[in-house]
């Protein structure tokens, strides 16, 4: 089975990082709730004609929330936390930038599901977010917090 190797590597990665991945998942869930709250509120107020700008605002705010939780809880005693405010802003911009690909997948999934299947945008957010988790976790730990090695115990 061609996908089995990738699946096994992802599962092995998560097993080796169970505590940090759990914290990262919880911060992602909280960020997801922020995204869903903003998306739901603004779609109810402005309608689906403004879905893309609503998504951009919601995702930026949700990802910033995730970053702050990861910065102060998930990676507190590992990786680099230098530079006080300037360093934190640089890490936050890296975190946001690395989320662009994942957010593009999430938003693209949401918009396609909405357009072709009339699926509620909130459900589309959930489905799209599921696919970006493993990639975001790996690259954010490595790049944002200075090389946390997620491939070793």
């Amino acid at each position: 089975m061609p996908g089995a190797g990738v699946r096994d590597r992802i599962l092995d990665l998560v097993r080796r990082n169970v505590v940090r991945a759990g914290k990262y998942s919880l911060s992602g869930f909280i960020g997801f709730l922020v995204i869903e709250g903003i998306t739901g509120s603004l779609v109810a107020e402005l309608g689906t004609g403004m879905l893309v700008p609503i998504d951009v605002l919601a995702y930026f705010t949700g990802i910033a929330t995730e970053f702050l939780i990861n910065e102060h809880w998930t990676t507190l005693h590992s990786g680099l936390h230098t530079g006080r405010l300037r360093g934190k802003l640089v890490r936050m911009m890296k975190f946001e930038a690395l989320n662009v690909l994942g957010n593009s997948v999430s938003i693209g999934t949401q918009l396609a599901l909405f357009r072709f299947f009339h699926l509620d945008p909130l459900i589309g957010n959930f489905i799209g977010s599921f696919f970006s988790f493993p990639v975001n976790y790996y690259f954010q730990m490595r790049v944002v917090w200075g090389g946390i090695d997620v491939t070793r115990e």
Side-chain angles (χ1 to χ4, degrees):
M1 187 185 226
V6 172
R7 181 180 164 271
D8 290 343
R9 280 182 267 167
I10 290 171
L11 289 174
D12 189 45
L13 177 85
V14 171
R15 271 188 227 106
R16 291 180 184 175
N17 295 276
V18 72
V19 172
R20 189 173 38 233
K23 289 179 175 182
Y24 181 86
S25 295
L26 185 57
S27 73
F29 181 70
I30 292 167
F32 177 75
L33 292 177
V34 170
I35 292 167
E36 291 287 89
I38 291 170
T39 302
S41 298
L42 292 179
V43 165
E45 186 69 29
L46 303 173
T48 57
M50 297 288 293
L51 193 53
V52 172
I54 289 170
D55 280 341
V56 170
L57 173 66
Y59 272 80
F60 180 82
T61 306
I63 299 306
T65 302
E66 287 178 45
F67 168 78
L68 291 172
I69 294 168
N70 283 315
E71 176 80 0
H72 295 286
W73 183 49
T74 306
T75 65
L76 183 60
H77 299 293
S78 56
L80 298 176
H81 292 271
T82 59
R84 295 199 183 252
L85 181 59
R86 183 170 185 252
K88 188 177 288 189
L89 290 174
V90 168
R91 286 189 302 281
M92 185 176 188
M93 291 295 100
K94 287 180 183 179
F95 192 83
E96 289 278 357
L98 287 170
N99 270 289
V100 168
L101 179 59
N103 291 346
S104 297
V105 170
S106 294
I107 291 170
T109 301
Q110 176 208 50
L111 293 173
L113 291 171
F114 177 72
R115 177 169 179 173
F116 297 113
F117 301 105
H118 306 288
L119 190 66
D120 186 283
L122 299 178
I123 295 170
N125 273 348
F126 179 77
I127 293 169
S129 297
F130 177 78
F131 292 110
S132 63
F133 172 82
V135 173
N136 282 342
Y137 175 73
Y138 178 80
F139 285 109
Q140 288 168 356
M141 291 300 128
R142 301 279 299 171
V143 174
V144 176
W145 287 283
I148 294 175
D149 191 352
V150 298
T151 61
R152 298 185 187 180
E153 293 184 71

